[in-house]
Amino acid sequence: MGLKEKLAKTLALPKEIVLNLPVVVWTGRNEANIENYKGILEYTDTCVRINTRAGLLVAEGSRLRLKQITAENILITGEISVISYKVVV
Amino acid sequence: MILRFWQFLRGWVTVEASGFSLERFLNMAAYHGVYIWDVVRTETGVRLCVSAKGFKMLKDSMRKTKSKLKITGKHGLPFMLFKYRHRKILIGGVIFFIAALYALSSFVWRVEVAGAERIKTEAIIDFCKTQGMYTGAYKGNFKAKEIVAALRKNFPDIGWADVHIRGTRALISLTETIPKKPVIDRKTPCDIVATKDGLITAIVTGAGKPLVKRGDVVKQGEVLVSGTVPLDVTAGGQVPEKTYVHAYAEVWARRYTSIKFSVPLVYDEKEYTGRKKTGHELQLLFLNGKTVSAGNSSVPFESYDKMTKRFQPGVSGDYPLPFILVTHTYREFELKQKARSVAEAAALAERMLTGRILREFDFSADITDKQVKYTETPDELIVDALIVTNERIDSAVPVNMTAPPSGSASPVYLLLPDNGDDYPVE
């Protein structure tokens, strides 16, 4: 356990801020907001791969669009079926 | 919604991006703080939307990632302005419209009064006009607080007032005070004086010295109860000869009133021919109420009734517009001579007489008798009515303390030796 993680645990601070972890808010099927990302690795109609602190985040589905891109968050819309983390080998 | 409006104001472009590392291009753009939205994958690359300002910042990222950008659409206000930049009349019109809208909404176009019952609405509106608030007044020329203060000072019957200016409407709300009852000032010595001639039927004195009794005939202005009360001087030298009181009495008298009028047997009656004409006028408040007539404003009738309707249109109630639509309706009539029978005339006379009695006599007066005499002549019915009433005739009038009381038959003289001088004043 790192120092920052200990700090977050003892002071009950939000981890996404202290450790810069991604926050995924998946609203219904059609909208997912990913905060604290590091970069887009791939974007196609069916798959969005995003690099985050916690690992590689993959959103799969169809007709995927990036509704918003800012330095802090990405808003994915479309028919999202799976959001998962892939282990980076 | 607000975001969309902001984007519209700033202008935005749709861009087709193509190349081998479009993801890197997007990351770089986001890293540089460019806001990108509605990214869609196409066969050749991606289509995205970016603000006009952001597009210029994309060029650096574009060069580094070797992607190609092609603008497919320009949207928003800056591009529209650019497109219409040579149309001077249009731009002038837009500027004129905004300026006129701003200028006209900085005036008051209607003054309304709410809550005036005893005070006349016209009096309040006229007073506000002298204070600078009227239809067509510039809003900066008066202060609502000062108007309220002036209103309260000028109208003592206003208990609470507020001037609320909303849009182009000024609303004066007020609450009137409870009407003050007439205060009888018992410190001022008063006589009770007859207001009318009559025969006294009852006199009830509360204070003062009665000078008349039941059955006396009195004239208007005669003192009925004196406020000057003599004191018994035989009691001792320290007592003044007389004192003054505020006389109070209820005096009822029988009065005879004659009412004479005639009802003509031949009369003119309006008969509407059914022909009408309506004329329209536009009253422009921003030209000091100057009116503009629509069409031919002459009236083709010789005798007519005129009816006028005024309507001030407004936007959402708070923005009355600076003009009033005035509609005049003229109804033509002809005067037809008509005759009525004696019986009809008598019935009409009866109604007229009742009306006059209700109008001319005080509510407290009792009508004890009514004798009506009808005289028939060839063209009219003459009504001669004698109304006998029993009514109050007393009123308080301050005592004139320097002059001797009028009427030397006053009982005061009988009790006090007449030394030929004026009565001393305490």
Side-chain angles (χ1 to χ4, degrees):
Chain A
M1 208 185 260
L3 185 69
K4 275 190 174 177
E5 209 175 333
K6 272 184 186 169
L7 186 79
K9 207 170 177 182
T10 45
L11 296 178
L13 291 170
K15 275 183 188 152
E16 69 268 22
I17 292 167
V18 180
L19 301 171
N20 210 16
L21 290 173
V23 178
V24 180
V25 180
W26 194 355
T27 313
R29 280 168 164 266
N30 298 327
E31 202 178 280
N33 190 28
I34 293 135
E35 271 177 64
N36 288 340
Y37 75 102
K38 276 164 80 181
I40 308 165
L41 293 181
E42 189 194 346
Y43 165 58
T44 62
D45 242 9
T46 51
C47 176
V48 184
R49 304 208 296 159
I50 296 163
N51 195 12
T52 71
R53 248 318 147 94
L56 180 65
L57 192 130
V58 182
E60 285 170 85
S62 59
R63 293 206 305 272
L64 297 184
R65 288 175 173 213
L66 305 179
K67 187 83 186 160
Q68 256 184 22
I69 304 174
T70 68
E72 287 85 33
N73 72 308
I74 297 175
L75 186 69
I76 303 168
T77 57
E79 306 265 317
I80 307 161
S81 53
V82 179
I83 295 181
S84 58
Y85 283 109
K86 291 275 151 64
V87 182
V88 188
V89 183
Chain B
M1 188 62 209
I2 293 166
L3 185 73
R4 272 289 153 103
F5 183 68
W6 183 243
Q7 285 166 356
F8 171 78
L9 279 185
R10 300 297 298 269
W12 50 282
V13 289
T14 49
V15 180
E16 294 264 13
S18 55
F20 291 104
S21 51
L22 290 173
E23 285 84 0
R24 199 173 154 233
F25 166 72
L26 291 176
N27 285 332
M28 270 180 99
Y31 180 76
H32 287 122
V34 180
Y35 177 68
I36 293 169
W37 69 94
D38 283 350
V39 184
V40 184
R41 175 59 81 168
T42 59
E43 282 164 25
T44 53
V46 290
R47 191 170 63 233
L48 54 95
C49 299
V50 68
S51 70
K53 203 178 163 195
F55 179 73
K56 286 171 191 160
M57 292 163 78
L58 285 182
K59 285 188 176 160
D60 200 35
S61 327
M62 183 185 84
R63 224 177 302 117
K64 274 186 181 163
T65 58
K66 293 193 178 73
S67 17
K68 282 177 183 166
L69 293 187
K70 201 179 134 201
I71 295 172
T72 53
K74 293 174 177 176
H75 313 270
L77 192 64
F79 297 110
M80 273 166 73
L81 289 180
F82 185 76
K83 193 174 162 190
Y84 296 128
R85 70 196 181 281
H86 295 303
R87 299 182 61 176
K88 292 191 179 68
I89 301 290
L90 179 76
I91 292 166
V94 168
I95 291 168
F96 174 77
F97 174 76
I98 292 166
L101 197 68
Y102 179 78
L104 289 177
S105 55
S106 53
F107 290 90
V108 170
W109 294 122
R110 185 151 73 198
V111 181
E112 285 175 21
V113 179
E117 281 169 19
R118 275 177 293 135
I119 310 168
K120 283 209 170 102
T121 302
E122 292 80 19
I124 290 169
I125 288 177
D126 285 347
F127 178 75
C128 285
K129 199 167 188 173
T130 65
Q131 299 297 311
M133 190 173 83
Y134 49 91
T135 303
Y138 180 60
K139 281 191 217 165
N141 281 354
F142 60 86
K143 283 199 178 103
K145 271 189 179 174
E146 286 170 11
I147 301 258
V148 169
L151 272 171
R152 294 195 51 177
K153 208 174 168 186
N154 193 55
F155 296 94
D157 282 351
I158 292 179
W160 169 87
D162 179 44
V163 173
H164 188 62
I165 291 156
R166 208 164 150 180
T168 56
R169 186 174 70 137
L171 179 66
I172 305 161
S173 331
L174 52 96
T175 307
E176 289 172 358
T177 53
I178 296 162
K180 271 185 196 159
K181 281 187 179 161
V183 176
I184 300 165
D185 179 19
R186 296 204 183 275
K187 281 177 186 154
T188 313
C190 278
D191 289 334
I192 297 296
V193 170
T195 53
K196 293 160 190 164
D197 300 350
L199 185 132
I200 308 283
T201 51
I203 173 161
V204 181
T205 309
K209 184 170 173 54
L211 305 184
V212 291
K213 58 184 188 300
R214 191 175 154 210
D216 287 357
V217 174
V218 293
K219 290 266 174 221
Q220 185 181 352
E222 202 177 318
V223 179
L224 304 173
V225 178
S226 174
T228 313
V229 180
L231 296 173
D232 189 1
V233 285
T234 56
Q238 300 303 311
V239 184
E241 288 176 337
K242 60 193 164 71
T243 187
Y244 294 98
V245 295
H246 181 101
Y248 174 77
E250 221 176 83
V251 184
W252 292 77
R254 186 187 299 149
R255 304 191 63 241
Y256 297 89
T257 314
S258 154
I259 295 177
K260 260 188 194 173
F261 62 93
S262 62
V263 179
L265 293 176
V266 175
Y267 62 103
D268 288 334
E269 199 181 68
K270 279 182 189 175
E271 200 164 82
Y272 291 99
T273 57
R275 287 202 291 166
K276 271 188 205 172
K277 197 208 157 169
T278 46
H280 299 280
E281 269 181 1
L282 197 62
Q283 195 178 349
L284 303 169
L285 297 173
F286 49 87
L287 295 174
N288 285 328
K290 208 181 158 203
T291 52
V292 178
S293 311
N296 185 11
S297 61
S298 68
V299 184
F301 311 131
E302 205 174 299
S303 41
Y304 55 86
D305 279 349
K306 183 178 175 183
M307 236 164 55
T308 302
K309 271 186 194 165
R310 292 158 66 83
F311 171 65
Q312 185 173 18
V315 182
S316 82
D318 284 336
Y319 287 88
L321 298 177
F323 54 84
I324 297 173
L325 298 168
V326 186
T327 312
H328 300 294
T329 310
Y330 306 96
R331 287 174 74 200
E332 192 195 23
F333 65 80
E334 281 169 1
L335 283 179
K336 284 268 170 73
Q337 263 203 353
K338 288 205 169 174
R340 54 165 80 90
S341 70
V342 176
E344 280 171 347
L348 180 64
E350 185 69 26
R351 282 205 304 279
M352 284 165 83
L353 186 63
T354 310
R356 278 191 67 167
I357 288 168
L358 286 174
R359 270 198 309 278
E360 288 172 23
F361 291 98
D362 192 76
F363 189 69
S364 66
D366 291 334
I367 313 257
T368 50
D369 197 10
K370 186 173 89 176
Q371 291 160 22
V372 191
K373 205 171 85 192
Y374 296 103
T375 317
E376 207 184 311
T377 65
D379 45 37
E380 58 186 5
L381 184 73
I382 297 165
V383 183
D384 191 354
L386 185 71
I387 313 294
V388 184
T389 53
N390 190 27
E391 55 186 294
R392 274 185 78 164
I393 58 162
D394 52 280
S395 78
V397 171
V399 179
N400 186 356
M401 286 189 285
T402 50
S406 60
S408 55
S410 170
V412 174
Y413 286 86
L414 301 175
L415 287 164
L416 292 168
D418 189 356
N419 54 12
D421 292 329
D422 284 353
Y423 283 94
V425 180
E426 287 93 331

